[in-house]
Amino acid sequence: MDEVKKLLTQFADQAVDGLPPADVDADVARGRRALFRIRARRRTTGVLCIAAVSTAVFAFGNQLKWWGGADKEVATGGATSETTATPTPAAPTPSQAGETMSMFAGAALDLVANTKPWSSVACTLVPRGWTPQTPITADRVVLTPPSVRTSDENAKLVLRSATDAQSLASVRVSQADGKVFHIGTAAGREVGQVKLGERWLVVQLPEQHQEWDDVSFQRFLASCSLS
């Protein structure tokens, strides 16, 4: 401002026809007031701009809150709806599936080597833990499973030698090693039979025989012989 006053003083010394003498101090004072008003208007304009921007941001933020994506809260007439994701159960592992199957199908039959002679009916395989009931007759052997009362005849496996085949219903026929195996039902019991030489080996399963599938049954029949 001192530089401006110095310039005004220099010009004031040069008189101009028809104009009153210059008043440098008054001019400087008017300039100061004008500069103050300009600065005041700029400050006011800046404050108004900031307020406008803040209001716009606030309003836009509220719109985002109302109209956000699917993962945001949605207005439902004053109530807030929350969606909870339901976890998808994992698929069962093979071991779990096997355990579930075994619960319904029973334990798998375990055939082991038979080292004890019976009678004219003999088998090289026997279910683990099953023992022959005594006395053993010439043409008939009765096997009792473990943990079963000897008086429970329906829980026992009966092997016998017969001259003729037994009549069966719902017969399944298979062939292996030159032998023909017949598996079906008779009097409500599962029966398997195979012709060995001139006679038939007839085997009657227990009433509850979930572990005896056709493959295990045929394998057991194939290990037997008649003498």
Side-chain angles (χ1 to χ4, degrees):
M1 186 60 66
D2 292 339
E3 296 296 329
V4 174
K5 184 176 181 179
K6 185 184 295 184
L7 290 175
L8 291 175
T9 302
Q10 291 177 358
F11 282 107
D13 294 338
Q14 300 177 4
V16 179
D17 295 338
L19 292 177
D23 188 349
V24 176
D25 292 333
D27 292 338
V28 170
R30 284 193 296 273
R32 289 181 186 275
R33 287 194 296 273
L35 182 60
F36 177 78
R37 285 194 298 270
I38 292 172
R39 288 178 177 177
R41 281 197 299 270
R42 287 180 179 177
R43 284 196 297 269
T44 303
T45 303
V47 171
L48 292 176
C49 289
I50 292 174
V53 171
S54 300
T55 303
V57 170
F58 180 75
F60 185 69
N62 285 338
Q63 290 178 353
L64 287 180
K65 184 176 180 181
W66 280 105
W67 300 306
D71 56 340
K72 302 296 183 181
E73 294 180 353
V74 181
T76 56
T80 302
S81 175
E82 296 183 359
T83 303
T84 304
T86 303
T88 303
T93 62
S95 60
Q96 292 174 337
E99 291 171 1
T100 304
M101 292 286 289
S102 64
M103 289 173 61
F104 291 95
L109 183 67
D110 185 12
L111 295 174
V112 297
N114 179 31
T115 59
K116 297 179 180 180
W118 292 339
S119 62
S120 62
V121 180
C123 300
T124 59
L125 296 176
V126 64
R128 183 184 296 276
W130 293 50
T131 56
Q133 178 179 299
T134 56
I136 299 176
T137 62
D139 297 331
R140 188 172 183 268
V141 178
V142 178
L143 298 181
T144 303
S147 304
V148 171
R149 298 189 305 271
T150 57
S151 60
D152 189 359
E153 298 297 330
N154 293 330
K156 298 176 183 180
L157 184 145
V158 180
L159 303 90
R160 63 184 177 88
S161 174
T163 56
D164 298 313
Q166 185 171 348
S167 178
L168 302 177
S170 304
V171 181
R172 287 97 65 192
V173 180
S174 60
Q175 185 174 356
D177 299 329
K179 301 176 183 179
V180 180
F181 301 92
H182 303 257
I183 299 176
T185 58
R189 299 280 288 272
E190 194 86 357
V191 175
Q193 55 190 10
V194 57
K195 190 173 184 180
L196 301 175
E198 298 299 323
R199 298 182 66 83
W200 286 82
L201 171 67
V202 182
V203 180
Q204 184 184 53
L205 292 180
E207 277 190 351
Q208 302 297 328
H209 55 273
Q210 291 88 346
E211 69 274 24
W212 287 88
D213 55 21
D214 284 2
V215 175
S216 300
F217 198 6
Q218 179 178 318
R219 183 178 171 221
F220 175 71
L221 292 170
S223 75
C224 299
S225 61
L226 298 176
S227 60

